[in-house]
Amino acid sequence: DQQVKQNSPSLSVQEGRISILNCDYTNSMFDYFLWYKKYPAEGPTFLISISSIKDKNEDGRFTVFLNKSAKHLSLHIVPSQPGDSAVYFCAGGYGQNFVFGPGTRLSVLP
Amino acid sequence: DAGVIQSPRHEVTEMGQEVTLRCKPISGHDYLFWYRQTMMRGLELLIYFNNNVPIDDSGMPEDRFSAKMPNASFSTLKIQPSEPRDSAVYFCASSPGRGWTYEQYFGPGTRLTVT
């Protein structure tokens, strides 16, 4: 049973537009969420996080929104740049444990 | 610091052979994690160590998988015997702490192909 779901395996967006990556979770015990970004042939790198007591966290072009009642979070990238093309992993966690989703491949087209 | 180092970067082996993946964490990091990435399941945590001691190995798929951390600067993940379904990218990560306030730093991964 996947506790963290990213139902869109891939997403294509035009440069300069907004990218919205979605993530759904089933475990109501998660008290924090993370987004990691992964380029080909490299390991994932941390991007942004959010505590479950917040509904929004912003860092430059990246904003994560959390809707606890819907068990849904999303990552917004504005404006999207070609260098943002990567696989994005959503993760939920509680205490010492966190669980990654399967990832969404974002392609930003010039 | 050079970051987390993994070797080999690519491994191709035949079914039934033993495979050993290696990891050198970032110096000073007390936590080391082994992950497996597949298309179907994404990134799965296999096992993690704290101060060289295995803490949670509930993600290890079968007894064919074993992991050790003989010292603070080295860990291995061994598969014996290997099977085609073990084909995946295996990542090692290290962290100065456990929990969301501590970033995990990933190595570049080892792409394992079992034929």
Side-chain angles (χ1 to χ4, degrees), chain B residues 91-110:
Chain B
F91 289 101
C92 175
S94 71
S95 171
R98 183 77 171 113
W100 74 300
T101 56
Y102 296 97
E103 179 179 344
Q104 291 189 14
Y105 296 82
F106 283 76
T110 295

Side-chain angles (χ1 to χ4, degrees), chain A:
Chain A
D1 176 37
Q2 276 197 336
Q3 299 182 54
V4 179
K5 302 175 185 179
Q6 294 177 260
N7 292 323
S8 298
S10 63
L11 174 69
S12 292
V13 172
Q14 210 67 36
E15 181 179 3
R17 298 290 186 98
I18 183 171
S19 295
I20 300 177
L21 294 93
N22 292 306
C23 177
D24 297 291
Y25 63 95
T26 58
N27 192 334
S28 56
M29 292 182 64
F30 288 151
D31 54 17
Y32 58 87
F33 301 88
L34 311 164
W35 285 92
Y36 273 72
K37 180 167 75 172
K38 183 186 177 305
Y39 292 118
E42 295 183 11
T45 55
F46 171 76
L47 185 59
I48 192 170
S49 63
I50 187 168
S51 164
S52 63
I53 63 173
K54 297 194 171 186
D55 55 18
K56 177 182 174 181
N57 187 27
E58 191 171 353
D59 183 2
R61 296 186 298 114
F62 302 90
T63 303
V64 56
F65 295 92
L66 174 62
N67 182 335
K68 283 189 70 177
S69 61
K71 292 191 172 67
H72 176 83
L73 64 156
S74 59
L75 174 68
H76 293 213
I77 306 174
V78 184
S80 302
Q81 299 174 353
D84 296 329
S85 297
V87 176
Y88 290 78
F89 292 97
C90 169
Y94 59 95
Q96 300 294 312
N97 305 294
F98 55 89
V99 179
F100 283 93
T104 295
R105 181 178 301 278
L106 173 66
S107 299
V108 180
L109 310 173

Side-chain angles (χ1 to χ4, degrees), chain B residues 1-9 20-34 49 52 68-77 90-95 104-110:
Chain B
D1 200 315
V4 176
I5 299 173
Q6 290 187 248
S7 65
R9 293 295 306 273
T20 299
L21 311 181
R22 296 172 176 79
C23 175
K24 176 178 166 49
I26 294 173
S27 176
H29 282 189
D30 293 333
Y31 286 83
L32 182 139
F33 309 84
W34 282 101
F49 295 81
N52 314 336
K68 294 182 180 179
M69 192 165 185
N71 57 62
S73 59
F74 184 67
S75 177
T76 60
L77 177 67
Y90 291 81
F91 289 101
C92 175
S94 71
S95 171
Q104 291 189 14
Y105 296 82
F106 283 76
T110 295

